[in-house]
């Protein structure tokens, strides 16, 4: 008999309470799964969910009757596909396309409901059991989830080794290796997203003013936004995510109240957070949360976007990622590996300092798996609380924890709660492949923990090394770099100073991918324990570069062409010389961007030519120039337009003339 909490027929419950939302891994046998699903006839399909290297999740509809007949094969052998729908370039090829989907028995399985398709017999929405799975090709797991699994296993193995082989390291973090029964990795993400009325276009000026004045930040939600937010939190709770908070973020403008008391012209930014879990489950939870949130808001007539930078010029969507490591002792207690023996004296234990040093030292290659799309780089710019520099903040003093929102990594600590010590990595966004990002983060931290263990240094000694000035020698960190700042790095340093102190950050997908070749010793850190193999790295970089140039050629340039063409002359011949002067600058810039001649190519054409030649270094440089010129054009045209007295009439005339 199925567990009573999952039973379908309970007349005293609402229809929402009668649904099955997830199946935990404990005691999940084929017989119990069948019994449970038979008691929930509204669940009519099964979908094995694999995550490719681009972060895409597979979805298929397998009738539950087929699943029941072949349940042993589904759970142990997997099902086959031709691999045409997954991003695994260089691995899955047109002449070797067989890919198996193999169920993962270690995580929660969730039920995705179609609230627009009501089962006639039960009166409940039709559900699909989503089973997180691995992608297997040629007998090897080649998906994002499997990389994170290997990273988890490698981290646990290495930490146990360091605790047992380096007694002084164990003593300095207050742990007896003989009492350790397990290594506990934890992770959590904070999800930001923009929500708006479908079809509405952003008023950048209004959004910018509202952001500067912080008119929306943590304000009360209203109308269908409030309803959607509340229902999203309730739904995530039903899925077992234990949501902790939902609130307005910094971006947005006040919605308009219509005659029927309904709000329209919604344009707001929201954040939702939920409880941490171990890394693989945390990544699965984030995928589930994105799906659930988008569906709830859609049901209430609102459009959600998780794009890193959906609106140029205002705040983008971040997904700050929290990571920690603890140990479980024989007596059942949990001890945070990063918390120092004496929190009144030290910020971190030697293991904590090592993890932080490893993350920053190797971040050039870690970042390739966090930020590797055009839109993601649009978010990472000074002025929007988005991290650009490879630098961390640990607080102004041991006794006064602080938050610096301008750095890449922040130390989160609470002296009254030793288990709370962790790192907040601020660079990820909602489109980051969290599986690969967490794997890379843990690989880099383990490298640093290994240094701390082998060095035998105390917390005080490691803090001094981490806080070094540029030019000072270090046994682990790079001599000419700084790694700590408690200042607002965008206000305190010039761009040139930031690049000198913290390294020049990549600005394009090509620059991010090239870091894997530019820093081979750091790339080897990712490969340790066979976590990131060279085959998988090659496949990932090929996929990122392909998407980069396709998007640049077929989406960004066409959009920019339309923008250039939309900048039309608004003044007549009798207007003053200032309007003419400004228009001449605009027209010259338009010609440089768009117009080919018999002797010269426009900037857009140069980019397309470089793409065709696969001269990606040139493409990267020209892309940055294009971005700069487009921003210059926007600013010039805005200034020019503001000085036109009869803008509306002349604009309409211009439209008529063009037609």
């Amino acid at each position: 008999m199925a567990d009573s909490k999952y039973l379908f027929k309970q007349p005293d419950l609402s229809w929402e309470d009668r649904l099955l939302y997830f199946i935990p891994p404990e005691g999940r046998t084929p017989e119990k799964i069948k019994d449970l699903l038979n008691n929930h006839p509204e669940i009519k399909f099964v979908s094995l969910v694999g995550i490719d290297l681009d972060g895409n999740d597979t979805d298929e509809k397998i009738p539950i009757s087929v699943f029941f007949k072949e349940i042993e094969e589904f759970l142990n052998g997997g099902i086959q596909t031709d691999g045409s729908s997954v991003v695994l370039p260089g691995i899955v090829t047109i002449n070797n396309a067989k890919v198996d989907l193999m169920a993962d028995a270690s995580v929660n399985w969730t039920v995705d409901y179609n609230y627009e398709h009501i089962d006639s017999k039960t009166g409940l929405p039709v559900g699909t059991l989503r089973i997180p799975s691995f992608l297997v090709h040629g007998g090897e797991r080649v998906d994002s989830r499997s990389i994170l699994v290997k990273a988890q296993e490698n981290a646990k193995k290495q930490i146990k080794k360091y605790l047992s082989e380096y007694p002084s390291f164990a003593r300095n973090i207050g742990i007896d290796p003989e009492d350790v029964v397990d290594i506990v990795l934890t992770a959590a993400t904070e999800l930001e997203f923009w929500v708006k009325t479908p079809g509405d276009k952003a008023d950048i000026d209004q959004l910018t003013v509202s952001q500067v004045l912080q008119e929306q930040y943590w304000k009360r939600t209203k109308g269908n936004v409030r309803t959607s937010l509340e229902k999203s939190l309730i739904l995530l709770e039903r899925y077992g995510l234990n949501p902790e908070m939902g609130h307005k973020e910094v971006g947005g403008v006040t919605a308009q109240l219509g005659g029927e008391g309904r709000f329209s012209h919604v344009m707001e930014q929201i954040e939702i957070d939920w409880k941490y879990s171990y890394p693989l489950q945390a990544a699965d939870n984030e995928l589930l949360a994105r799906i659930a949130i988008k569906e709830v808001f859609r049901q209430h007539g609102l459009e959600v976007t998780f794009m890193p930078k959906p609106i140029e010029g205002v705040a983008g969507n971040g997904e700050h990622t929290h990571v920690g490591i603890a140990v479980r002792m024989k007596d059942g207690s949990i001890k945070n590996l990063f918390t120092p023996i004496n929190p009144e004296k030290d910020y971190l234990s030697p293991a904590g300092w090592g993890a932080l040093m490893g993350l920053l030292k190797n971040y050039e290659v870690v970042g390739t798996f966090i930020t590797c799309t055009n839109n993601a780089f649009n978010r990472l710019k000074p002025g929007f609380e988005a991290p650009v520099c490879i630098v961390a903040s640990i607080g102004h003093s041991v006794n006064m924890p602080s938050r610096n929102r301008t750095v890449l990594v922040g130390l989160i600590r609470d002296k009254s709660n030793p288990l709370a010590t962790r790192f907040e990595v601020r660079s990820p966004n909602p489109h980051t492949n969290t599986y690969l990002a967490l794997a890379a983060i843990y690989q880099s931290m383990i490298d640093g923990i290994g240094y701390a263990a082998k060095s035998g240094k105390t917390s005080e000694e490691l803090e001094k090394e981490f806080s070094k000035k540029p030019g000072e020698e270090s046994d682990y960190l790079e001599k000419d770099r700084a790694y700590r700042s408690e200042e607002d790095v965008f206000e305190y340093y010039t761009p040139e100073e930031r690049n000198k102190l913290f390294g020049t950050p990549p600005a394009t997908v090509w620059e991010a991918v090239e870091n894997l070749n530019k820093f081979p010793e750091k790339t080897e850190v990712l490969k340790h324990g066979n976590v990131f193999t060279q085959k998988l790295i090659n496949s990932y970089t090929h996929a990122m570069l392909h998407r980069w140039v396709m998007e640049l050629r077929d989406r960004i340039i066409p959009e920019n062409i339309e923008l250039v063409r939309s900048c039309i002359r608004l003044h007549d011949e009798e207007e003053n010389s200032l309007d003419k002067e400004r228009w001449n600058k605009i027209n010259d810039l338009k010609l440089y961007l768009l117009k080919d001649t018999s002797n010269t190519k426009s900037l857009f054409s140069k980019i397309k030519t470089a793409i065709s030649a696969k001269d990606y270094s040139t493409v990267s440089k020209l892309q940055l120039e294009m971005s700069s010129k487009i921003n210059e054009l926007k600013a010039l045209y805005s200034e020019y337009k503001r000085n036109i007295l009869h803008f509306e009439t002349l604009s309409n005339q211009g439209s008529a003339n063009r037609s």
Side-chain angles (χ1 to χ4, degrees):
M1 187 68 180
D3 191 317
S4 61
K5 69 178 179 179
Y6 294 132
L7 287 179
F8 162 61
K9 292 184 178 180
Q10 297 188 47
D12 57 325
L13 299 178
S14 67
W15 71 265
E16 292 96 340
D17 290 327
R18 290 158 58 193
L19 297 177
L20 173 68
Y21 291 93
F22 70 98
I23 307 176
E26 296 80 14
R28 196 167 51 201
T29 64
E31 292 73 22
K32 288 185 177 180
I33 293 170
K34 281 186 177 181
D35 190 26
L36 184 57
L37 295 178
N38 280 327
N39 278 284
H40 284 276
E42 73 277 7
I43 302 175
K44 298 189 177 299
F45 302 101
V46 169
S47 175
L48 297 187
V49 183
I51 312 295
D52 65 22
L53 296 183
D54 198 20
N56 304 308
D57 57 306
T58 63
D59 184 50
E60 65 285 320
K61 299 295 180 186
I62 302 169
I64 204 76
S65 58
V66 175
F67 176 69
F68 280 169
K69 289 177 183 177
E70 304 174 11
I71 190 167
E72 291 288 350
E73 184 178 349
F74 271 92
L75 300 183
N76 300 316
I79 62 171
Q80 296 182 17
T81 178
D82 66 2
S84 60
S85 61
V86 294
V87 178
L88 293 166
I91 297 176
V92 176
T93 58
I94 195 168
N95 63 333
N96 188 14
K98 178 178 173 290
V99 174
D100 295 331
L101 286 158
M102 183 174 294
D104 183 358
S106 70
V107 295
N108 290 341
W109 297 353
T110 58
V111 183
D112 176 26
Y113 287 101
N114 183 354
Y115 295 97
E116 297 174 356
H117 183 189
I118 305 302
D119 179 32
S120 59
K121 292 183 179 179
T122 65
L124 298 175
V126 170
T128 298
L129 177 64
R130 283 171 60 91
I131 302 178
S133 305
F134 301 109
L135 300 175
V136 180
H137 180 267
E140 295 180 13
R141 293 181 179 181
V142 292
D143 59 291
S144 296
R145 297 184 82 258
S146 65
I147 293 173
L148 181 51
V149 168
K150 288 190 291 184
Q152 291 176 163
E153 293 170 349
N154 185 56
K156 292 186 175 189
K157 176 183 175 181
Q158 294 302 316
I159 290 172
K160 288 180 180 178
K161 174 183 174 182
Y162 298 144
L163 288 173
S164 63
E165 292 186 2
Y166 301 97
S168 64
F169 174 65
R171 285 195 303 271
N172 284 336
I173 57 179
I175 289 177
D176 183 349
E178 296 297 322
D179 290 336
V180 175
V181 296
D182 193 18
I183 308 299
V184 182
L185 309 181
T186 56
T189 57
E190 304 172 7
L191 186 62
E192 293 177 353
F193 55 94
W194 277 85
V195 55
K196 72 183 188 73
T197 302
D200 278 5
K201 293 186 177 180
D203 186 319
I204 304 301
D205 290 338
Q206 286 188 36
L207 287 168
T208 301
V209 171
S210 179
Q211 178 175 303
V212 171
L213 296 177
Q214 293 191 330
E215 292 176 334
Q216 298 292 310
Y217 203 26
W218 287 68
K219 294 298 190 294
R220 178 176 175 268
T221 52
K222 303 173 185 177
N224 52 353
V225 174
R226 175 178 177 174
T227 302
S228 300
L229 177 58
E230 291 172 349
K231 287 191 173 183
S232 294
L233 293 170
I234 292 170
L235 183 58
L236 294 182
E237 194 163 25
R238 293 181 187 277
Y239 277 117
L241 268 62
N242 297 313
E244 296 178 333
M245 186 183 299
H247 63 84
K248 280 194 179 188
E249 257 294 336
V250 68
V253 291
T254 302
Q256 297 179 18
L257 185 62
E260 297 180 354
R262 295 181 180 179
F263 287 97
S264 62
H265 300 291
V266 172
M267 185 79 65
E268 300 178 17
Q269 191 181 30
I270 305 291
E271 177 181 318
I272 292 181
D273 311 324
W274 52 90
K275 192 177 180 182
Y276 65 87
S277 186
Y278 67 93
L280 186 62
Q281 186 65 67
D284 284 348
N285 287 349
E286 181 214 303
L287 178 61
L288 166 65
R290 290 205 314 256
I291 294 170
I293 291 167
K294 205 160 190 173
E295 281 300 301
V296 170
F297 277 81
R298 185 184 64 80
Q299 290 166 30
H300 292 276
L302 295 169
E303 180 181 318
V304 165
T305 178
F306 296 111
M307 288 180 65
K309 194 74 169 180
I311 308 171
E312 190 66 35
V314 295
N317 290 322
E319 188 179 77
H320 304 155
T321 299
H322 296 247
V323 289
I325 304 177
V327 292
R328 180 177 287 110
M329 313 303 285
K330 286 181 178 178
D331 62 4
S333 64
I334 302 291
K335 181 175 177 58
N336 192 319
L337 207 62
F338 295 166
T339 301
I341 294 174
N342 186 355
E344 301 289 338
K345 174 176 171 287
D346 298 312
Y347 289 97
L348 287 163
S349 71
W353 284 116
L356 183 56
M357 292 165 74
L359 176 55
L360 292 187
K361 179 185 177 181
N362 296 296
Y363 188 78
E364 283 90 351
V365 296
V366 173
T368 305
F369 295 92
I370 291 178
T371 306
C372 213
T373 65
N374 288 302
N375 194 253
F377 279 109
N378 289 339
R379 170 179 168 259
L380 296 187
K381 293 178 180 178
F384 299 98
E385 296 183 345
V388 175
C389 310
I390 301 177
V391 61
S393 166
I394 58 173
H396 294 286
S397 71
V398 173
N399 295 314
M400 190 177 294
S402 59
R403 295 282 186 98
N404 186 339
R405 298 175 63 83
T406 69
V407 297
L408 175 72
V409 182
L411 169 62
I412 311 297
R413 59 193 293 265
D414 182 351
K415 290 195 297 180
S416 65
N417 181 11
L419 292 178
T421 307
R422 62 192 186 275
F423 300 122
E424 178 189 47
V425 185
R426 298 179 57 80
S427 52
N429 65 77
H431 281 187
T432 292
N433 184 332
T434 300
Y435 300 91
L436 299 185
L438 285 174
I441 287 170
Y442 275 102
Q443 284 290 94
S444 66
M445 291 199 302
I446 293 304
D447 183 67
I449 292 174
Y451 163 71
K454 295 169 187 176
S455 71
K457 292 182 179 180
T458 64
S459 290
E460 185 177 9
E461 291 169 328
L462 290 168
E463 178 186 345
K464 182 179 179 180
E465 183 174 358
F466 180 75
S467 305
K468 77 181 195 67
K469 299 289 189 287
E472 293 181 1
E473 295 285 353
S474 166
D475 294 332
Y476 182 70
L477 300 173
E478 294 172 27
K479 177 181 177 181
D480 295 327
R481 297 273 288 273
Y483 294 89
R484 176 185 178 182
S485 179
E486 305 304 332
E487 307 291 345
D488 179 336
V489 297
F490 301 124
E491 295 290 334
Y492 193 78
Y493 307 106
T494 66
E496 294 74 22
E497 288 172 332
R498 290 199 300 266
N499 290 344
K500 184 178 180 181
L501 290 171
F502 314 123
T504 303
T508 67
V509 173
W510 170 252
E511 291 182 359
V513 167
E514 270 297 280
N515 275 347
L516 294 169
N517 298 319
K518 188 177 178 181
F519 302 99
E521 72 287 354
K522 298 181 182 184
T523 303
E524 287 301 315
V525 170
L526 300 180
K527 296 179 182 178
H528 186 267
N530 205 36
V531 173
F532 285 86
T533 64
Q534 190 60 53
K535 181 168 69 173
L536 288 169
I537 289 175
N538 291 343
S539 183
Y540 174 81
T541 56
H542 181 92
M544 296 304 102
L545 290 174
H546 177 72
R547 181 171 63 180
W548 169 56
V549 295
M550 290 290 289
E551 188 178 46
L552 185 57
R553 185 190 66 193
D554 299 331
R555 181 175 294 166
I556 296 175
I557 289 179
E559 288 174 353
N560 284 341
I561 288 174
E562 289 304 309
L563 173 67
V564 170
R565 287 173 175 165
S566 71
C567 295
I568 60 173
R569 194 183 78 170
L570 300 173
H571 69 280
D572 55 33
E573 293 301 327
E574 285 71 38
E575 295 286 349
N576 62 45
S577 59
L578 180 60
D579 292 327
K580 294 178 181 178
E581 180 184 335
R582 287 173 172 170
W583 172 249
N584 287 337
K585 289 181 180 178
I586 292 168
N587 199 48
D588 288 344
L589 193 51
K590 290 177 62 178
L591 293 173
Y592 179 76
L593 285 163
L594 180 60
K595 191 71 172 177
D596 291 339
T597 70
S598 57
N599 298 320
T600 61
K601 285 186 176 181
S602 68
L603 183 56
F604 294 155
S605 293
K606 288 178 181 178
I607 295 174
K608 291 179 180 179
T609 299
I611 290 174
S612 297
K614 296 186 178 181
D615 182 359
Y616 295 148
S617 178
T618 298
V619 173
S620 177
K621 293 172 185 175
L622 293 177
Q623 180 185 12
L624 294 175
E625 183 186 1
M626 178 180 68
S627 178
S628 175
K629 295 294 184 185
I630 288 293
N631 288 334
E632 182 184 354
L633 177 63
K634 288 178 180 177
L636 286 172
Y637 195 68
S638 178
E639 182 182 47
Y640 164 73
K641 193 165 59 174
R642 281 196 295 266
N643 201 48
I644 302 300
L645 286 174
H646 306 293
F647 164 73
E648 193 169 327
T649 301
L650 290 169
S651 179
N652 290 336
Q653 289 176 353
S655 299
N657 291 335
R658 289 198 307 278
S659 63

